[in-house]
Amino acid sequence: MTWQLSAILAGHKGDVKAVIAPTDDLIASVSRDKSLITWKRQSSNTFTQDKTFNGHTNYVNSVAFIGASEANPHGLIVTGGSDRLINVWDPEDSSSPVYTLVGHTDNVCSLFADTDGHIVSGSWDKTAKIWRNWQCVYTLEGHTQAIWGVLELEHEVIVTASADKTIAMWKDGKKIKTITGHEDCVRSLALLPGIGFVSCGNDGAVIVWSNNGDPVQALDGHTSFVYSLATLPTGEIFSSGEDRTVRVWETLPNGDIVSGGSDGFVRVFTRTAERVADAATLKAYDEENAATAIPSNQVGDIKKDDLPGLEALGQPGKKDQEVKMVRVGNIVEAHMWSNAGQEWSKIGEVVDAVGQNRKQLYGGVEYDHVFDIDVGEGVPALKLPFNVTENPYTAAQEFLTKHDLPQVYLDQVADFITKNARAVSQGAAAVTGDPLTGGSRYTPSQNTSSGLGSYNPWGNDAPKAQPVVKRLIPQLLNVPFKEANLPAIQKKLHQLNTELVTSGVALDSANLSQMDALFKFLAAPPKQPVAQPQFLALLLKIFNTWPEASRFPALDLLRLLALYSKDPIQTPDLLKTLLTASRTHETSLMLVARLVVNFCETEEGREVAMNDISTVLEFMEDDAVWQSTNKNLKLAVATVYMSYSTLLLKRHDDDALAIQYVGVITKILEKERDQQVQYRLLVALGNLIFAHESAKESAAIFEVRRVVQAAVLSRPTSEKISTAPVATEIVNLL
């Protein structure tokens, strides 16, 4: 018997992102409407909505199931979302998650769970994590782009699929093999019992692999992106691709198929006669299919009628390797121009094409826009990815931090994003201008594309529910101070050294040679911290012997060295010593605060920072800091609070500290009005309230709601453009 519709499950208000069927009679689906819904069978071809689980604050993109056990007789449903959280649910209790797993720093787009309760998660943050007893035991790092698929092949052997076009195998947290074969993003994995596993990707390929990661067979047939896979008990493999219908497939134990679509429906298909839908449902389904069929005169997003014919090849190309699409009858061909041969050459037939309504791919992640940002003559443009649901200030801050650009550009970049994203979304010409200089050199292409390949794995880009703003709380990422003008620091240091020659504390020629070596080291730093004790000794010599007003370049270099050398972190009482000596000098104190933040970039540094938290924050609370007119000092100290809050997110036993700093930050916010400083203090406050119930309870005592309202939400729009979203989230948390 051929496949026929069995049931249509209506209830979601947005795209259905993933489905799973733990038993013949239970289906779980997750959606862009931020919900998990369970469905229970009522008859052979009828399911009814059982429960709705609303624990995520953004799109829910992945789902898995842990089988029943003595501790969890109903089993457990695991969900992952764009809010970076993994929630674990009792299927019979939708009130709140049993567990919430915090650790990923971006969208959790793939999940796998075994019968022992072990969970594997994959994320846009380029890592996979292995969770046991609700704790992360391994973080798998090695992929260079987002991880779209995960599975456990056998005990302790994990397989991950990435947008970097590779598949990796891991054992005991270490990579044991890198598998190549796909020519584009690898999107999904599925177990193939008795053989190994199967993968699919944006290259249209479906490939079967052995348990050892060796290729067994390539399955040809798809002409475009393949998004997801499932295997039936019969050994059959099902794949879904860019056909605008089925998005995610999973199988019922009885051999039926469950699919979720971007239209918000879950559908069950069967080959068993008694489970086929009634005649009226089948007729309605056929009519719906006919109404949504892809037009024959269209390829991808491009209408064939809009393309020129072969006569267009009579005109020379505008540049070497320019690609032009032309219509030849009912076929679309792609031709490339050669300057050398002064001719067009056919390079293939087009089976899918991307128009302006398709998302852009950057770093293995989809975005509504990928802007080219021109930062200087002769310097390659920098890519700024952005989704229309993001806070422009958050995107701008991440862009500046990533590329070590000065903070003074924050407002210009955020304003640039706002204007260009609005212009493109409304179909208008993009606003031109260099957001960093205010000049007119920056001229984005018409569709603001980076020129990278783009695809739309989510179906309709626009959510059917109300627009969802990217959540700002919890903020898991540390924001280090990496920006540095090394030539300027070097020049200042030599100038000060010359002025100190008569004092007897100036550096000698050997020290200056060592200093030059340090600048070369920092100009081309290693990817992983290394031991450089001679550099630390030199900087501490300057700090300990030079006058207070002259030693700030040494501190500036020290906060950079902490990012790339283990020595500052391994020096006992370094932070306490530096803070004590810098208490009365604002510039020095600001640089030590930046050093504390940079400590939080490594695991070892985070441990040192936490051990010194009471000492560090005692200096940061000083009234002299917050009465200062030095914005850089206050911004650095606010970032220290934010860094510590990201550490306290994972330390649920530090309730006393969390309560203490809710009070301290609230007191500071009563008077502080600078938006950048406010923003980081608010993030810190939100993290503490999010992670610690006791901190949330203490918020009433410290009148957090009133303070946030007065300091931010009641201010004029121009004074809260970057802070209102995070302030609103804090109020909602309360």
Side-chain angles (χ1 to χ4, degrees), residues 158-169:
I158 305 299
V159 183
T160 56
S162 171
D164 64 13
K165 308 178 187 179
T166 70
I167 298 169
M169 299 180 71

Side-chain angles (χ1 to χ4, degrees), residues 129-201:
K129 292 182 181 290
I130 302 174
W131 309 80
R132 293 178 188 153
N133 298 319
W134 325 117
Q135 300 293 324
C136 180
V137 294
Y138 293 116
T139 296
L140 309 183
E141 298 179 301
H143 283 295
T144 59
Q145 294 190 16
I147 295 178
W148 286 99
V150 294
L151 62 79
E152 185 178 48
L153 189 59
E154 53 189 55
H155 187 60
E156 301 291 348
V157 177
I158 305 299
V159 183
T160 56
S162 171
D164 64 13
K165 308 178 187 179
T166 70
I167 298 169
M169 299 180 71
W170 313 75
K171 187 174 178 64
D172 297 328
K174 298 180 180 179
K175 186 188 291 189
I176 57 175
K177 187 169 187 175
T178 297
I179 302 169
T180 58
H182 282 282
E183 297 177 358
D184 208 332
C185 302
V186 190
R187 297 304 301 268
S188 182
L189 300 168
L191 286 172
L192 202 56
I195 298 177
F197 63 96
V198 59
S199 65
C200 68

Side-chain angles (χ1 to χ4, degrees), residues 327-379:
R327 177 171 45 82
V328 183
N330 198 41
I331 297 173
V332 176
E333 294 181 351
H335 292 253
M336 180 180 290
W337 174 255
S338 168
N339 275 346
Q342 288 292 297
E343 63 179 357
W344 292 97
S345 299
K346 179 180 175 180
I347 57 175
E349 295 181 359
V350 181
V351 297
D352 185 48
V354 177
Q356 292 185 349
N357 295 324
R358 299 278 289 280
K359 289 200 173 187
Q360 308 295 312
L361 175 64
Y362 178 70
V365 176
E366 314 124 327
Y367 295 93
D368 295 316
H369 311 287
V370 178
F371 298 114
D372 284 326
I373 304 297
D374 188 354
V375 294
E377 194 71 50
V379 179

